[in-house]
Amino acid sequence: MPPIAEVSNRRLVSLAALVFSLSVHCTGQVAGGGKGVPSGGKPAASPGSSGGSSGGVASGTPGAGGAQGPSLGGGGQSVPSAGGLTTVNIQNPPGKAISRLTQAQFVRSATLLFSDAAVAGVDALLPVQDRHGVFRNTGFAQGQAYDLIQGYDAAASWIVDHVADWPSFHTRWGGCTAASCATTFIRTFGEAAFRRPLADTEVQAFQPILDAAVAATLSYNDTVKLLGRAFLQSPEFLYLFEDSVLTDYQLASRLSYFLTNGPPDQTLYATAKAQTLHQPAVLGAQIDRLLAGDLTPFAREFALDYLDLSRATTRNVTTDPTVIAQFVSSAVETFASLVQNDQPIGSILTTESFASNSATAMWITGQPSSSATPLSPTASYPFMGLLTHPATLISMSNAVFGSTVSRGIFVADQMLCLPPTPPPPQAFQPGDVAGVLPANPTQRDYGEARMADPRCGICHKQFESFSFGLNKWGGDGLFKTDPALKDDGPVQTALGTIQFGSYKDYLPQLAGSAQFEHCVTDQLLRYGLQHTQYPPDLAVAVLSAAKTNASKVTFRALMKALTTQAIFTTK
């Protein structure tokens, strides 16, 4: 990452360039709602590479089945194994860069500045960005695609053009509509947009817009529209800049965007402005206050990437995309409900309650429903946990019957933090094991043959068997009753031997394992810190603190444990 002084200069230059780009094109056309101002308000490029580290984790050497595994986190205290499974080190290749607001965070932040009505529908103008294998809020994974720059410009124009109540807007930001009040507006509105007070040089950087507005005889409202567009495309609004040691303002933003997925509220911001947020008692009170509130916005954002649900519409091309979208919504809301209601983290894999909407209800029960009553398992769809939710089944499967390769990788990587080893130099061909396959082979038969083949087994043994317990759940999001689809154990895995009769006793074993518990904790660290440049034993410390402070390991307990760590509050 560049030195702080270099970053600060880059921020100011980028802001000045943005303002100049807006101002030099201010003509009479702008008065008609901002038209005539071209795209080109560009946020500063992230210092991190758009490719960067993949953010994946590398597994250590698994211990013998049932034995105590190596220390989790690559050092420090060991976490006891559970359910007869051993544990494996989780190591994150270090990666860190300045983080940009996600689309959801952009919308929530803009809503605070303008209103719900002005921002409604703007998310459709922002292109969905690839998460590059990590969480979408992670700086080193965020590219700077041109369509994103265009999207920010379109979104900014949309928002300022949809302010319906200008008198209320002006009252909120100073109560004055005279041209002489524009500088006051820049300071008050800018402080909310930048999440800190503006320096004099930053206020002066907006002067070209004011000069151009006067030259073009724009009304005060149209001048404010231009200023609003500039603020919404400013690097200081779009990015979460951090010094080598966090200021109180930066800590407030980190805490708020982690716990609420939005900017600091008035109470949190007041403590930052009073320069008291780093005081342990003050910080603890703010953490407890925010955690006692609504964690649904956090949970929605986290779940979308954690369960890789954005893949659903690309993996299934036969089902109506609007139906798939409702599946995804149900999965996200199910996860959010588990988090908000303080259910143990293992409930991700064992819940017997799904959030309902019309498409998901029809899919699971065979009956249309507009009721908000959660869905329960049925005879034709006897689900357990989010891995058997139609959205997740479709997202993690690249075949109708559920590829044991893609599913095994998903479980090993996302749920257990055990990425597979690299594939062999020459691709494996299904015909290579034809001689050992039974008649009418299933996906599992192919998987077992690959694991037994010396050319492929060294890789596939690391992950593929984790999918066998889900063998009756199709990649089309349906439950299969074909007796040829074996979904029982025992199976040999990278964590040891797992004995089970079906998914109903397989998933609880995964949920109760130390590896799953530690992996969820590590996933939360990556999301909350927005980087992987943390000590290898941090997850152990956070998990231990969560167990000490709560009767069960929940997301709330883990989030509190993380936000009180020195690395969260200072770096």
Side-chain angles (χ1 to χ4, degrees):
M1 179 178 292
I4 297 302
E6 180 184 333
V7 172
S8 298
N9 289 336
R10 181 181 302 170
R11 289 149 60 178
L12 188 55
V13 169
S14 298
L15 175 59
L18 168 66
V19 170
F20 179 76
S21 174
L22 285 170
S23 64
V24 295
H25 294 281
C26 288
T27 67
Q29 293 175 293
V30 177
K35 297 178 181 178
V37 181
S39 300
K42 301 180 182 181
S46 169
S49 166
S50 62
S53 167
S54 67
V57 291
S59 63
T61 303
Q68 176 64 45
S71 167
L72 286 171
Q77 177 182 347
S78 294
V79 177
S81 59
L85 300 179
T86 189
T87 55
V88 174
N89 282 344
I90 299 174
Q91 299 173 354
N92 292 297
K96 188 174 184 178
I98 298 169
S99 295
R100 186 177 63 237
L101 300 183
T102 65
Q103 269 79 334
Q105 291 169 347
F106 176 95
V107 170
R108 286 175 64 82
S109 301
T111 299
L112 177 70
L113 298 172
F114 288 92
S115 73
D116 289 324
V119 177
V122 75
D123 51 339
L125 301 176
L126 297 171
V128 176
Q129 297 298 294
D130 194 328
R131 70 186 191 90
H132 298 290
V134 294
F135 289 101
R136 226 173 296 265
N137 71 342
T138 306
F140 63 78
Q142 294 175 331
Q144 186 74 341
Y146 183 63
D147 64 343
L148 183 65
I149 297 172
Q150 291 179 306
Y152 283 137
D153 184 64
S157 297
W158 171 280
I159 291 169
V160 299
D161 286 342
H162 285 79
V163 175
D165 188 352
W166 280 106
S168 296
F169 179 87
H170 292 311
T171 298
R172 183 180 181 192
W173 302 114
C176 177
T177 58
S180 59
C181 298
T183 300
T184 301
F185 171 81
I186 291 171
R187 286 194 181 277
T188 56
F189 185 86
E191 182 172 356
F194 289 2
R195 304 171 287 275
R196 59 162 179 78
L198 274 65
D200 289 343
T201 52
E202 292 174 313
V203 175
Q204 293 164 6
F206 287 89
Q207 187 60 42
I209 287 183
L210 302 183
D211 294 342
V214 171
T217 64
L218 300 184
S219 68
Y220 185 76
N221 281 0
D222 287 328
T223 301
V224 167
K225 284 183 179 182
L226 281 179
L227 291 170
R229 287 181 61 195
F231 274 113
L232 289 174
Q233 296 176 78
S234 166
E236 294 290 341
F237 173 74
L238 294 172
Y239 287 84
L240 298 174
F241 291 103
E242 295 178 346
D243 295 339
S244 56
V245 177
L246 296 183
T247 67
D248 279 43
Y249 293 113
Q250 292 165 353
L251 176 56
S253 290
R254 173 180 281 190
L255 190 65
S256 183
Y257 280 108
F258 175 35
L259 302 184
T260 73
N261 210 39
D265 62 15
Q266 290 183 355
T267 303
L268 179 60
Y269 187 77
T271 63
K273 197 163 188 176
Q275 300 295 294
T276 59
L277 188 55
H278 274 90
Q279 297 176 11
V282 175
L283 176 62
Q286 290 302 312
I287 291 171
D288 288 342
R289 180 180 68 84
L290 294 174
L291 285 174
D294 184 13
L295 296 185
T296 300
F298 149 78
R300 288 171 177 157
E301 184 98 326
F302 183 90
L304 191 66
D305 290 346
Y306 174 59
L307 298 175
D308 208 7
L309 295 173
S310 58
R311 284 196 180 198
T313 54
T314 62
R315 283 274 170 94
N316 187 318
V317 295
T318 59
T319 303
D320 186 336
T322 61
V323 171
I324 300 293
Q326 288 199 53
F327 290 167
V328 171
S329 175
S330 169
V332 166
E333 295 304 321
T334 298
F335 187 95
S337 177
L338 296 175
V339 172
Q340 181 63 21
N341 292 312
D342 257 356
Q343 295 302 304
I345 57 175
S347 62
I348 297 168
L349 301 182
T350 61
T351 183
E352 294 188 333
S353 177
F354 286 168
S356 181
N357 55 42
S358 57
T360 309
M362 185 69 184
W363 196 264
I364 290 176
T365 69
Q367 299 293 327
S369 175
S370 58
S371 172
T373 303
L375 301 170
S376 299
T378 65
S380 60
Y381 204 101
F383 66 81
M384 171 183 279
L386 279 164
L387 293 188
T388 61
H389 191 286
T392 318
L393 287 168
I394 293 169
S395 295
M396 67 178 176
S397 304
N398 59 10
V400 172
F401 286 98
S403 165
T404 53
V405 173
S406 64
R407 286 186 179 187
I409 291 174
F410 181 91
V411 174
D413 190 2
Q414 295 296 107
M415 301 293 113
L416 301 171
C417 296
L418 304 172
T421 56
Q426 293 185 342
F428 173 80
Q429 298 298 323
D432 293 345
V433 294
V436 299
L437 292 172
N440 302 314
T442 65
Q443 288 281 333
R444 178 169 177 174
D445 291 326
Y446 276 108
E448 290 176 339
R450 283 188 289 266
M451 292 170 61
D453 188 284
R455 296 162 297 176
C456 304
I458 190 171
C459 175
H460 287 259
K461 284 179 180 178
Q462 297 297 312
F463 61 86
E464 194 156 5
S465 57
F466 285 116
S467 72
F468 293 165
L470 300 170
N471 212 28
K472 289 189 175 177
W473 290 95
D476 55 0
L478 293 170
F479 181 69
K480 316 293 183 182
T481 58
D482 185 349
L485 298 173
K486 293 174 53 183
D487 65 343
D488 59 348
V491 296
Q492 296 293 324
T493 74
L495 300 179
T497 302
I498 307 179
Q499 298 275 358
F500 57 92
S502 72
Y503 67 96
K504 289 190 175 181
D505 53 342
Y506 168 64
L507 292 172
Q509 288 190 66
L510 286 188
S513 70
Q515 189 71 27
F516 172 77
E517 196 173 58
H518 183 77
C519 182
V520 171
T521 304
D522 197 76
Q523 297 270 27
L524 189 67
L525 297 189
R526 297 181 224 167
Y527 181 90
L529 294 173
Q530 298 180 284
H531 64 79
T532 57
Q533 208 166 9
Y534 49 82
D537 57 354
L538 179 62
V540 174
V542 169
L543 184 55
S544 298
K547 289 181 174 180
T548 300
N549 298 329
S551 59
K552 55 188 176 181
V553 180
T554 65
F555 272 91
R556 266 195 178 86
L558 290 172
M559 293 164 85
K560 179 170 183 177
L562 172 57
T563 51
T564 55
Q565 297 290 318
I567 191 173
F568 187 91
T569 60
T570 60
K571 298 180 181 179

